[in-house]
Amino acid sequence: MGSIENYKSSIGSGLRAFFEGYEPAIKDLIDSLDSDGFLLRSFTEEKVTRLQNLTNSSNMGLKLSNDFGSIFDPQNKERTKEKLNLLKKAFNTESDFRMGEHYHSILTNTYLAFLERLKIYLLFFINWDKLGKKHKDIHGIGNAIYFLKQKYPSNKYLLYFNTGARNSIAHYTFFWEHGNGGKIKLCSEMFDANPKEMSLTKFMMEINEIQVLTEGFYMILSDKFGLPEITRGRMER
């Protein structure tokens, strides 16, 4: 069984169904990149080590997200409250609101961590010189996706990343509205009169979607070409 099949068997049915809706587009993109001569096939030990080291940086952020998220148990509110009180004591604060701010910050960082990880994968596996670009031309995942969409404009996988959330979070033109579960407001520019709204639940769902689309891209490549295996963290909640 390939690594992508193992991965799919480890995630929930809803997230698996979401990923499988994009899986053919990921494979099509990889096949197109390969047939057009844009995929790299050979990697030095030095480059693989650098890829692992860079991935470790985002893994650290995911560990923080998972550790903080482990406090919350929807099946045991009393136990959740006990854990939260212990953490507040460790942080020398009595504010539940402040702990909520910490969690919101962790979530936005997790969102960015997966997007930047995808950018690293794209930089690592694609021969950008043949696409007429240098690594220095690709300032973020938005640039990478933009350049690829010029070549493959109808690819469903690439089109997924056309959401307004990415730019708002990357440039910190967002804010949180508290109460009723919480909402994140995503501004297209600083004084956007009608910012896009996303509930906390929907935002967490989008983080998980980006996670499986990012790791799925790597694992499908790995299965197809026997590429180097690296240690990748994941969001557990």
Side-chain angles (χ1 to χ4, degrees):
M1 182 184 290
S3 61
I4 188 61
E5 294 302 322
N6 286 328
Y7 180 67
K8 288 196 296 182
S9 69
S10 73
I11 59 180
S13 58
L15 202 55
R16 176 171 180 158
F18 166 82
F19 174 75
E20 289 178 338
Y22 284 88
E23 189 175 5
I26 298 174
K27 292 179 177 178
D28 182 63
L29 175 63
I30 290 170
D31 288 344
S32 295
L33 287 165
D34 186 39
S35 62
D36 291 340
F38 298 139
L39 279 185
L40 296 170
R41 300 290 195 94
S42 179
F43 307 96
T44 64
E45 182 178 348
E46 181 183 13
K47 287 189 174 181
V48 174
T49 299
R50 177 57 59 89
L51 176 63
Q52 180 66 79
N53 288 340
L54 293 174
T55 304
N56 285 343
S57 294
S58 56
N59 286 345
M60 288 189 287
L62 295 176
K63 289 173 185 175
L64 174 61
S65 177
N66 292 332
D67 288 348
F68 203 97
S70 69
I71 295 169
F72 303 99
D73 181 356
Q75 306 302 320
N76 191 333
K77 292 184 178 180
E78 283 303 313
R79 181 59 180 151
T80 295
K81 187 175 180 179
E82 289 173 10
K83 289 182 178 180
L84 197 55
N85 285 336
L86 288 171
L87 195 60
K88 286 191 294 184
K89 184 177 181 180
F91 284 175
N92 196 28
T93 181
E94 296 182 359
S95 173
D96 288 338
F97 183 81
R98 182 165 180 142
M99 302 308 293
E101 288 182 318
H102 289 332
Y103 193 46
H104 288 163
S105 180
I106 287 169
L107 289 175
T108 52
N109 181 66
T110 302
Y111 182 100
L112 291 175
F114 281 122
L115 286 177
E116 288 304 304
R117 182 179 290 188
L118 178 58
K119 183 194 77 173
I120 287 168
Y121 291 162
L122 295 175
L123 289 175
F124 187 81
F125 293 116
I126 294 175
N127 189 332
W128 288 94
D129 287 339
K130 287 190 175 181
L131 282 163
K133 303 296 177 184
K134 301 293 183 183
H135 280 196
K136 67 179 182 179
D137 298 323
I138 303 169
H139 307 295
I141 184 63
N143 286 113
I145 296 295
Y146 173 76
F147 293 141
L148 289 174
K149 283 199 294 188
Q150 288 183 318
K151 189 71 178 175
Y152 311 108
S154 61
N155 183 270
K156 180 181 177 181
Y157 177 66
L158 296 177
L159 292 175
Y160 170 86
F161 298 98
N162 213 16
T163 68
R166 185 192 69 246
N167 284 339
S168 297
I169 293 172
H171 299 294
Y172 268 71
T173 51
F174 69 89
F175 59 95
W176 289 91
E177 186 177 87
H178 304 283
N180 298 319
K183 293 179 183 177
I184 188 170
K185 301 271 193 153
L186 304 158
C187 304
S188 59
E189 48 87 19
M190 185 173 178
F191 295 109
D192 184 357
N194 296 292
K196 178 182 176 181
E197 290 186 0
M198 194 182 302
S199 70
L200 177 60
T201 300
K202 177 65 174 66
F203 184 56
M204 294 176 71
M205 186 183 303
E206 187 160 314
I207 293 171
N208 278 310
E209 290 174 358
I210 291 170
Q211 173 180 210
V212 297
L213 293 180
T214 295
E215 300 307 341
F217 177 81
Y218 180 91
M219 284 183 278
I220 289 172
L221 268 171
S222 180
D223 286 348
K224 185 176 177 68
F225 299 119
L227 296 174
E229 182 58 35
I230 59 172
T231 302
R232 303 176 309 276
R234 58 188 293 182
M235 187 178 178
E236 297 172 355
R237 289 173 177 262

